Amino acid sequence: MSAGPARAAAFDGTCRAALLFLLALRLAEFALLDDAAFDPSSESLADLFFATTNSSLASFGLVPMALLLGSSVLSLASSAPVTVRLGRRGHVALCLRVVALRAVLFSAVVVGSGLLLVAARGYWVFDAGGALGFAAREALLMSLFFDACQVVMLLVWLAGASLPTALCAGACYGVVDQLASFSRTLSDPLFHVGWFLTFPASDGSPVTFFLNAQRLLVIVILLHLACGWAMSRREVLDRGGDHDVC
């Protein structure tokens, strides 16, 4: 299957709405974020970036926007005409490719706008090469994370849950690391499975980046396989009916 249908489906009205909400959030952040959130003596671009993109913003802003981003994929997944046109495997591949493209786009805007916010507040003292390297690594980690959020929602919905339940499942995955941080045992990095895996090492170690990316990639692959299996098992595809998103 060519990438054309996936690109067309990925950039629909829901996607544009989520990106507009994100840009509006960044503008509000620029106006309201206290300079005390930044450490002017910091030589770490990661520290300054995560002053603008912290866990609270992720829990109450970015994760809900990512779920909004992926909500229209539920309708795509239940479309009988798409199944007839592409076949079951092609339909599964289209849905998962749309999720991945949206996650990449959303992550690129999150990282790019966060870095622009750092620069706009006057804390930019980094060379372009280092900044591009950080942006690429961070966008990759966030792409995997936001992909997983959307696929958890899709998987739960395919299992027969209602839209609110599916949204709650995606949100729970999105904040699971933040909730686990209240436990002395579960706050150990060994148990991180979501947002905290997007944090780079304080010393910029590439080993931490590769380990975090590897763990997120394994999670995404397992979720994609489970999602493909769930779609293949749906009786609604065999009957050629529609499943209401409600």
Side-chain angles (χ1 to χ4, degrees):
M1 184 183 66
S2 68
R7 284 197 297 267
F11 307 127
D12 64 0
T14 304
C15 177
R16 292 190 291 271
L19 294 177
L20 286 174
F21 280 135
L22 173 58
L23 293 176
L25 178 65
R26 287 303 201 189
L27 288 174
E29 199 176 3
F30 174 74
L32 300 174
L33 188 64
D34 193 336
D35 282 338
F38 296 94
D39 179 5
S41 64
S42 177
E43 297 182 356
S44 169
L45 180 55
D47 290 344
L48 294 171
F49 172 76
F50 279 103
T52 71
T53 314
N54 55 33
S55 296
S56 296
L57 182 74
S59 298
F60 300 107
L62 300 183
V63 169
M65 287 179 197
L67 297 178
L68 171 63
L69 195 70
S71 61
S72 62
V73 178
L74 306 186
S75 297
L76 178 64
S78 67
S79 173
V82 175
T83 305
V84 172
R85 186 170 70 251
L86 299 178
R88 184 172 298 169
R89 289 184 179 180
H91 191 184
V92 172
L94 174 63
C95 291
L96 296 179
R97 189 174 296 183
V98 167
V99 167
L101 286 172
R102 290 182 178 182
V104 169
L105 177 62
F106 187 69
S107 300
V109 177
V110 169
V111 174
S113 60
L115 293 177
L116 285 175
L117 188 55
V118 171
R121 298 303 288 266
Y123 295 102
W124 192 269
V125 292
F126 308 96
D127 63 274
L132 287 174
F134 169 81
R137 293 190 298 271
E138 196 56 41
L140 173 60
L141 294 174
M142 287 195 176
S143 295
L144 293 170
F145 170 71
F146 290 125
D147 186 300
C149 288
Q150 294 177 76
V151 177
V152 166
M153 175 180 65
L154 177 59
L155 179 60
V156 172
W157 181 78
L158 287 171
S162 65
L163 177 59
T165 302
L167 288 169
C168 286
C172 285
Y173 170 76
V175 301
V176 65
D177 281 355
Q178 291 92 312
L179 295 176
S181 67
F182 292 103
S183 165
R184 182 173 300 178
T185 301
L186 296 179
S187 62
D188 190 285
L190 179 66
F191 299 106
H192 292 169
V193 295
W195 174 251
F196 285 175
L197 291 177
T198 68
F199 292 2
S202 57
D203 60 356
S205 169
V207 175
T208 300
F209 164 74
F210 283 116
L211 290 176
N212 288 358
Q214 182 183 55
R215 191 181 302 184
L216 280 169
L217 182 60
V218 169
I219 291 170
V220 167
I221 289 173
L222 292 176
L223 287 171
H224 277 226
L225 291 174
C227 202
W229 177 84
M231 285 188 70
S232 70
R233 296 287 296 177
R234 281 176 57 83
E235 293 182 359
V236 66
L237 294 183
D238 294 332
R239 295 197 306 266
D242 289 323
H243 183 70
D244 294 331
V245 179
C246 62

